[in-house]
Amino acid sequence: MAVVDTGKPGAAPGHGHGHARMGNPTAPARTKPPADHVTVLRGLLPFVWPEGRPDLRARMVWAFGLLVLVKIITVTMPILYKAATDWLIAHVPAAGTAGGQAMTAGVMLIIAYGLARVMMALFTQVRDVQFMHVALNAVRNLNNRTFEHLHRLSLRFHIEKRTGGLNRVIQRGTQAVELIIRMGALSAVPTALELVLLSLLLWYFFGGLIVAIVITMVVAYIWFSIVASEWRIGIRREMNDSDTDANTKAVDSLLNFETVKYFGNEGLEAKRFDTSMRRYEKASLHSYWSLGALNSGQAVIFTIGLTLVMILAARGVVAGTHTIGDFVMINAMLIQLYIPLNFMGMIYREIKQGLVDLETMFTLLGEHPEIEDKPGAGALAVKGGTIRFDNVSFAYDAVRPILKNVSFEVPAGKMVAIVGPSGAGKSTISRILFRFYDIAGGQVTIDGQNSAEVTQKSLRAAIGMVPQDTVLFNDTILYNIRYGRADATDEEVFAAAKLAQIDDFIRTLPEGYKSMVGERGLKLSGGEKQRVAIARTILKSPPILMLDEATSALDSHTEKEIQDALDRVAKGRTTLVIAHRLSTIVHADTILVLEKGVLVEQGTHAELIAKNGLYASLWDRQRQAERAREELARTLEEAEKAGALRPADKKL
Ligand code: ATP
């Protein structure tokens, strides 16, 4: 009988244990996990004995009752079998006599045997369903808990994680919960119980020697199964690691679909993927070989035990101390025991690997969010929405400072723009305002309240963000706009879309507001996505607004529409704009010029031009570029009027 082994990593989780280093909980483990499985099992307890769910606890008790009943029936069956055999032998007609004696007692024994089998099968099913209620509830709870936890973790964690790998950790972890409950409750405990009952019966019928042989055989069998399984765990881990690796590569490659196309690197990607799949193939084959060795060893040990016991029973029959029925019974009992015993190796391995997977997931669950609310932190109370940065210093990595002693104020209801070369730290300022990271020095206050002292939820509720690069949910436009305020009515959504100058466009689509936007919103252009983002911020209606202007140049018409939409949203709100095109912020109340993380200039447009510093030179450069563009457009227009343009030139 072969141990069931699907060979699929999903079905038999065994991923390397969780080296949940900060930011990378999915790194494949190369070292052995610490053997603290008791802690992991203890972590599982609240899920299988759930508080506040007396119904599930009752099911657990009921299921254990059934479990004991099933095992009592199981060991009774060979006894009925023995009785039927002995009855038959007693009723075999002696040579030369006529048969045809009454069969009532014999038939009754056979029917009892049949009934016992039916009851065993029936109660087993009822028991399994009861356990599954508990197991599946545990899976759901753990899944929900992990999902919520992942949303609580900080931006840094999410930037550094590998989506594909993380997915597998969660998948395997939740599978492991079901597996441990199923394997433990439906196999390991019943088998142990069966062994105890069986030993008692064997003692009663045959005495100590046979019990000693059976127990020795079972111990040797389990010992071998554990040793061989331990050896196989490493092999399985290699298989799972290579599977995770292939998965991560595939997800990453598909996420970068466009980049792959730009560089025509499909071949390279396929090769990289194949290298991982080849490793998986090799590891899987190794795993199948080792499984064969395990199964063969188990069969040899069991058969030696069975043969010895049968020889002893046969000797008893010949000596007249035992009946043929006893001989048949002992064989039936051992064969019956072999079925669950045969799964012992697998159960041991699966439970052990399940614990490893669960540990990885618990480590992920134990990962502390980098940014946490201070104990007793209150909600931010916004009056006007004055933002102040006082001497703020910040670094993503301690070795590389990004912001150096930055101080500025955005008075309530005013608009302040941040400009500066790429990489100067402009977007970083917005991330700090949202408190995605904690700062190394100084403080950020809103209406005099330190942003690190209030709850993150209230802080973020007060700020609306229109990001540079809007990513949308793969759902309808309606859903994406309503995301700004989940309880907004359809009319409010339409009104927001009108203000954001996107309503007309949406209505030209065949499915209007019900149009799907595609993965990450890829079916919409950059300008359209940004207007969806503006519309949802209008719905959110926050007192403070953070606008990260799109870097990519939009055509002048779209740009004007977006600018108008933004101006409308910004009216009456404290607004911080990260600007790439200076022409859009000449009217800002104050312009901050950031260079390499240092605030080098600040003032109004006119003041900064008069100062003739960095801002003035950035302005000159942009004006020149714009003028050149305008001139080119004018020349092309004139040429077209004169009919002097070849078709190819029009593309310029
Ligand atoms: P751009 O105009 O190109 O958008 P920016 O002024 O907004 O640039 P930031 O995004 O604030 O620049 O980045 C400032 C610096 O911080 C950059 O040098 C960038 O490489 C670095 N940086 C940004 N995010 C991270 C991160 N998560 N970890 C480490 N360094 C980062």
Side-chain angles (χ1 to χ4, degrees), residues 156 159-160 396-397 400 402 420-429 431 437 468 548 551 578 580 594:
R156 191 194 303 271
I159 287 178
E160 291 175 10
Y396 291 100
D397 297 307
R400 193 179 151 223
I402 302 289
S422 176
K426 303 183 293 290
S427 303
T428 304
I429 288 185
R431 283 175 214 130
Y437 297 91
Q468 192 176 93
D548 199 346
T551 27
I578 295 172
H580 296 279
L594 200 65

Side-chain angles (χ1 to χ4, degrees), residues 161-221:
K161 73 169 196 271
R162 299 180 302 169
T163 313
L166 197 60
N167 253 342
R168 301 293 283 181
V169 169
I170 299 168
Q171 223 177 8
R172 289 205 186 110
T174 43
Q175 267 169 359
V177 177
E178 194 197 321
L179 184 127
I180 290 171
I181 298 176
R182 202 156 36 90
M183 293 280 175
L186 307 188
S187 298
V189 176
T191 307
L193 185 65
E194 183 170 343
L195 189 64
V196 172
L197 291 175
L198 200 71
S199 301
L200 289 176
L201 282 179
L202 287 177
W203 190 289
Y204 176 75
F205 283 107
F206 300 96
L209 183 59
I210 281 192
V211 175
I213 293 176
V214 169
I215 289 181
T216 310
M217 181 270 285
V218 169
V219 169
Y221 188 100

Side-chain angles (χ1 to χ4, degrees), residues 338-357:
Y338 184 57
I339 301 168
L341 209 52
N342 186 33
F343 287 101
M344 273 300 166
M346 185 187 73
I347 290 165
Y348 170 79
R349 194 189 59 221
E350 300 284 272
I351 289 186
K352 192 165 171 183
Q353 291 183 352
L355 286 172
V356 169
D357 289 339

